Amino acid sequence: MYAARELAITRMEEEATELGADGVVGVRLDVNYYEFGSDTAEFIAMGTAIKAEDGRSYRNVEGKPFTSDLSVKRFGRFVESDTFHSASSWARACTTSHIEASRRP
């Protein structure tokens, strides 16, 4: 189950990388269980890929898009706050793309 969860998240990160995103916000992990297989679960990782308009990269230290469960709106407020003043252009105009990846173990 842990491997399937990680695979769903990894696929979401890979899709964000393909889009050229700096990060994924509003990340949600849904798990669905089905009656036809008591030992079967579907993991769906969803989020919104974002990219800074200033052209700088804000990926994590591994070079992958960062992930956050903050909504796009809350992330924008965070970026505009004094806490995160170094990249205020994030909140003004970031390109977005909804991505979803799933994995059934």
Side-chain angles (χ1 to χ4, degrees):
M1 292 294 212
Y2 288 114
R5 175 189 174 277
E6 285 301 313
L7 185 56
I9 292 170
T10 299
R11 286 183 178 176
M12 181 186 66
E13 292 170 340
E14 288 170 355
E15 288 186 36
T17 298
E18 288 176 21
L19 291 169
D22 290 310
V24 183
V25 295
V27 173
R28 189 175 87 218
L29 183 67
D30 291 340
V31 183
N32 299 312
Y33 298 94
Y34 299 99
E35 291 181 24
F36 59 81
S38 60
D39 59 344
T40 301
E42 176 183 45
F43 291 82
I44 302 171
M46 292 178 278
T48 301
I50 62 172
K51 182 166 182 61
E53 71 173 357
D54 64 8
R56 292 176 32 193
S57 176
Y58 293 93
R59 291 182 174 210
N60 66 26
V61 294
E62 296 173 348
K64 295 180 180 179
F66 68 85
T67 58
S68 172
D69 65 346
L70 289 174
S71 68
V72 174
K73 189 175 186 177
R74 285 183 179 228
F75 185 77
R77 286 186 198 147
F78 171 67
V79 169
E80 287 183 336
S81 72
D82 290 334
T83 308
F84 195 84
H85 54 57
S86 66
S88 60
S89 60
W90 278 90
R92 287 196 296 275
C94 60
T95 57
T96 63
S97 177
H98 182 76
I99 57 177
E100 178 177 322
S102 65
R103 172 67 178 153
R104 291 183 185 189

